[in-house]
Amino acid sequence: MLQDTQLDVEAFTQELRIASNSNGPFRWLIGGFYQDRDTTNFLDIILDDGTGQPVEPAVFALQSRDVGTSESWGIFGSASYDISPTLEFTLGARYDSDKRNSVDQIFAGSDASDKFTSFQPKVQLKYELAPSHNIYATYSEGFGSGGFNAFFAGPAARRFAAQSAENYEIGAKGEFGNGLVQYSASLFQVYYDNQQFYFITTNPPSQNITNIDRTRVNGLELEVSSEPFENFNLSMGLGITDSKILQFDREPSSEGNRSPQNNSYTFNLSGQYTIPLNEDYDLRLFASYRRQGEQFWDAANTLRTEPKDFINMRLALEGVNWSLTGFVNNLTNDQYPLQASANAFGPGLSIRNPSERRTYGIEGRISF
């Protein structure tokens, strides 16, 4: 079979913000957002003659002409007040509305529409422990609009619900040695309701989103950057997550498993050294290392990706308004799935979309 897909998206987006211009103890911001989006998603599955050519006359195993619209708007605002010279209180809120429609012009009765709305508050306290060292505590709520799967998608319902999140976070930010070392660290806990889970099936061939009723993610993030000596910058980041499915009515046996599509940890380290050749030319060397922890791709935790390591390097000659750069990405020639779906072809038969292997080349830039 041959597959032909066409996806077109046209969108108009506008955002307006108004903020106070004050150095006093009270500061505020208000704003609004609007987006109008039209989407056409066409799919043709055509029988072939065994040589990769379509049969004549064309015979379609499946045709779909899905047309979708989305009109969304939001209003938001925040206000911060200095309770004391070292304690700041911030209160914010956002309201979102997204009206979506979908119809497949091939299938009668495929019309679907719904409006997804959400109010999302935020509260934060920030305390200055010492000059250049702050700690904070935040409670916030988030929202991701719902929508519609393809009308012919079998494993998933036509409509998927909006996703919402409750986020609790404490953290610290600051610097040492007059900016020699900057750091940020945080601990967080997020509870998701109706977490959206993306997967692919081949029979019927469709991209789908379903909802996991409730999940929880505990995590830690740490970032450190420094300039230990002139022209040399070093940065490091670490993220650790512990995720869990708390409720999944569609697959109760998955409750207690790790949430899908969530790396157990990530670690990155990068360094950049600039060598001034003269007043007009610099030689810049950059290298980065990233380790990506394991993750599961399904709620049943049957499809797993092992930890992976990636190294990128760049060497650039830079002028006042130009640069010439040699690069190599994924030096170790390792791959990982950009997307994977368990049982996409049937029980035990999965599908993976792999990342690029090692790539290298030369690129130039000229600024006018």
Side-chain angles (χ1 to χ4, degrees), residues 51-286:
T51 66
Q53 299 299 317
V55 298
E56 296 290 347
V59 177
F60 295 92
L62 177 66
Q63 281 188 291
S64 173
R65 298 290 185 270
D66 188 85
V67 177
T69 63
S70 168
E71 185 177 25
S72 60
W73 58 270
I75 53 175
F76 53 87
S78 67
S80 298
Y81 180 73
D82 296 330
I83 298 174
S84 73
T86 57
L87 182 62
E88 177 191 77
F89 174 72
T90 298
L91 183 64
R94 181 183 179 102
Y95 180 84
D96 281 288
S97 174
D98 185 11
K99 184 178 181 180
R100 295 197 177 190
N101 297 275
S102 174
V103 59
D104 195 314
Q105 297 172 343
I106 300 294
F107 297 95
S110 63
D111 302 54
S113 63
D114 206 344
K115 180 187 288 188
F116 305 94
T117 63
S118 176
F119 174 75
Q120 306 137 71
K122 176 182 177 180
V123 181
Q124 178 175 279
L125 276 174
K126 184 173 70 174
Y127 180 69
E128 184 179 349
L129 284 174
S132 302
H133 297 278
N134 298 313
I135 59 174
Y136 65 89
T138 303
Y139 170 79
S140 61
E141 296 182 12
F143 163 78
S145 183
F148 304 99
N149 292 306
F151 179 71
F152 59 83
R158 174 74 161 130
R159 176 189 181 276
F160 57 89
Q163 170 182 281
S164 62
E166 297 179 8
N167 178 54
Y168 304 84
E169 181 176 346
I170 58 173
K173 297 181 180 181
E175 62 181 39
F176 297 98
N178 294 322
L180 178 64
V181 177
Q182 298 91 37
Y183 72 91
S184 65
S186 65
L187 292 170
F188 60 87
Q189 184 173 69
V190 185
Y191 287 96
Y192 291 97
D193 286 324
N194 294 319
Q195 182 174 2
Q196 293 171 359
F197 169 50
Y198 172 85
F199 64 98
I200 297 173
T201 60
T202 60
N203 186 24
S206 57
Q207 303 178 50
N208 312 287
I209 295 177
T210 192
N211 295 105
I212 302 177
D213 299 86
R214 189 162 176 81
T215 61
R216 185 265 298 149
V217 179
N218 294 331
L220 174 150
E221 291 183 346
L222 174 65
E223 295 182 357
V224 179
S225 61
S226 176
E227 187 175 356
F229 52 86
E230 187 176 6
N231 297 325
F232 180 64
N233 299 98
L234 189 66
S235 63
M236 183 272 290
L238 173 66
I240 300 174
T241 60
D242 172 36
S243 61
K244 188 176 183 179
I245 298 175
L246 302 179
Q247 180 184 351
F248 194 7
D249 291 343
R250 180 179 169 180
E251 297 182 25
S253 60
S254 298
E255 294 176 2
N257 289 351
R258 285 259 305 274
S259 299
Q261 303 172 356
N262 195 322
N263 291 109
S264 58
Y265 67 89
T266 56
F267 174 78
N268 61 79
L269 179 67
S270 64
Q272 179 172 276
Y273 183 49
T274 303
I275 304 173
L277 301 178
N278 55 39
E279 292 183 356
D280 297 322
Y281 302 104
D282 291 332
L283 189 65
R284 197 180 303 274
L285 298 86
F286 173 83

